[in-house]
Amino acid sequence: MPQSELLQLLASVQAARGGASQSAHSSSHGDVDCSIEPTQIEGVFLVSTTDFFYPLVDDPHTQGRIACANVVSDLYALGLAHCDTVLMLLAASTEMEPAVRRRATELVMLGFNDAAADAGTRVTGGQTVLNPWPIIGGVASVVCRERDFIRPIHARPGDVLVLTKPLGTQLAVNAAEWHRKKILAKKAPSFVRRYAAPAALPADAAEPLDDDRHVSPAATAAVAALLGRAVDGMTRLNRHGALAMHRHGAHAATDVTGFGIRGHARNLALAQTADVSLRIDRLVLYKDTPLLATEAVGFKLLAGYSAETSGGLLVCLPPDTADAFIADMCANSGPAWRVGEVVACASREARDAFFADNVEVLEV
Amino acid sequence: MPQSELLQLLASVQAARGGASQSAHSSSHGDVDCSIEPTQIEGVFLVSTTDFFYPLVDDPHTQGRIACANVVSDLYALGLAHCDTVLMLLAASTEMEPAVRRRATELVMLGFNDAAADAGTRVTGGQTVLNPWPIIGGVASVVCRERDFIRPIHARPGDVLVLTKPLGTQLAVNAAEWHRKKILAKKAPSFVRRYAAPAALPADAAEPLDDDRHVSPAATAAVAALLGRAVDGMTRLNRHGALAMHRHGAHAATDVTGFGIRGHARNLALAQTADVSLRIDRLVLYKDTPLLATEAVGFKLLAGYSAETSGGLLVCLPPDTADAFIADMCANSGPAWRVGEVVACASREARDAFFADNVEVLEV
């Protein structure tokens, strides 16, 4: 559901109940990505999170892995590298033949279980229903003490923002879908032109390409390569990020998912104890997504609002440890990049996530 | 999803992983309705459960209450009267006008929150998506010590089975739907005949009624009254049952939901330490559901397999405390009934839930 519609709903429910608002609770406790609740046992907290969505990729096993990586990521954003248990949320499609449905659901479950094993945890329950659209998701929970997690509330002006996965998964997934449906040339003519053999181009290069006649083998390969990079990112666990956050004294973090980097950066700014904003100096994008983003309608990647699935961690680090954090990630998980800075702002109301003038676009 | 299809899927996934089977884990630890996991903290357990489904009643606020009562019930079945936190799982329908959708979703959320407050807990997160069919459900979790819960594994031959809500919610909900769609007379002619004014009956009383011309005001009122009883049951929390289980030394319990009383009773038998079966002597049903069940196709209420939503607890109690448990429930929550007995059986393979000869049907 769109963030604006959801926020309106939550506000209505809070207003009707007249109680302390969820957002006030969130900002003081750091419930940005997870619910963090004290329990009846002194000093012991329950941290839990849920997320579910619709299939993004054709391969069910990969889809299961992505869904599990996505849900445990919310714990990792709190520096929690351990997960006690995962519950699986599934809907099998009423529109599939029963035999196909059974095999697809089985593979989704296997992929989900495999990613849970990689995360050092176990699927101990869940719920499966029939639904027109297939659904895959989960619930991740851990019981811990205050010292085990890093509440995302301690960012300070001067902190360096580090991102641990490139952006652009939604466009990558959509490019593959457009290619499959043979509408790639219409949706992203520049992308096709870049990869088309010159002889295949129409006489007037400005003329819109209205079908896939001009999609060269090179363009087909480029779409597959882009999807491959995005799947590699989406299936990678952010687990090492949680460990590195502790090692290098991270002040706060979030993971980039449905609201895009700017949506989540803004939520993170609002959650801080200090009045701060987050300035984004650099957009690190999967190679070829900027070209797709300039033409595809409805994708706000270059504005920082394109949804990610199982995106990277956005971490606020002291300036003197940011490079060590990046080196640690490179050595043990994957590349990470400086993407901005925490800056002071005048008031709570002024907090925001904004782009620097001449924000750099880095394609990887 | 049908229990058989689900069990096949789980078995395939377990076989493919070659690990300890979930069912072996379940039977030794009592993970019948909830996941019960040890945590990294000595002696501390995380008990969690999830459930979600599609709307059953027209009123969104009531639907929200039912969904919350249903999910926390899994904790109550373990004798856990406290819930640390609830997450809400929602899908708003793509087939509703946006304004209607917004209002309906808001009311569902309010109802869910209200039931959570009645349960002494709080909704601290969740996920909301758009989907063709609306979905409502949740995740309930509590962090506790071994002494706080009653693992459902200690039933002994001679224990009395007590049920804390009547059965028949699915038929009650469907009767209301048939009445709304004007197919009640076709689906349940005997029910209509019972409540029809004699003059309204066709000359040949054996002739099937093929429309709603013969649905008298009395039948309309009877359908409404039945739905009212079922809604009263579905919105009632099983919380007091959890307290009474501790007070009266319950040996094991489950809550009756999607697999019907016999499906859940069988699961409970399989989870016990001892080789036992559960004999059901009495079916306690919402008034008028037996009549509907005899004619409506596909409802297995009289065989004990009709799905319940937010059903009652089925509790195994020592014979000398069963009446005190029932009296406690009557005084503090609602009526409860003796419905059967735990009996010895020869082997693990022989465990089952079965009906006594001449099982009594009690309409309430």
Side-chain angles (χ1 to χ4, degrees), chain A residues 69 138 147 164 218 220 230 246 253 261 285 326:
Chain A
R147 63 171 180 265
T164 69
T220 299
H246 282 280
I261 189 170
L285 307 178
I326 290 171

Side-chain angles (χ1 to χ4, degrees), chain A residues 4 31 57 66 83 112 179 194 216 254-255 259 293 296 301 303 321 325 345 360:
Chain A
S4 56
D31 297 30
V57 295
I66 292 171
C83 172
F112 193 95
H179 188 269
R194 175 187 285 178
S216 65
T254 188
D255 67 333
F259 306 140
L301 183 65
T321 67
F325 177 91
C345 73
E360 178 196 356

Side-chain angles (χ1 to χ4, degrees), chain B residues 19 37 67 83 104 116 119 128-129 139 141 163 178 191 236 261 268 316 326 331 334 342 352 359:
Chain B
E37 285 293 304
C83 172
T128 304
V129 300
V139 181
S141 306
L163 181 69
W178 297 332
F191 177 87
R236 195 188 323 142
I261 189 169
L268 192 58
C316 304
I326 290 170
V342 177
D352 205 357
V359 60

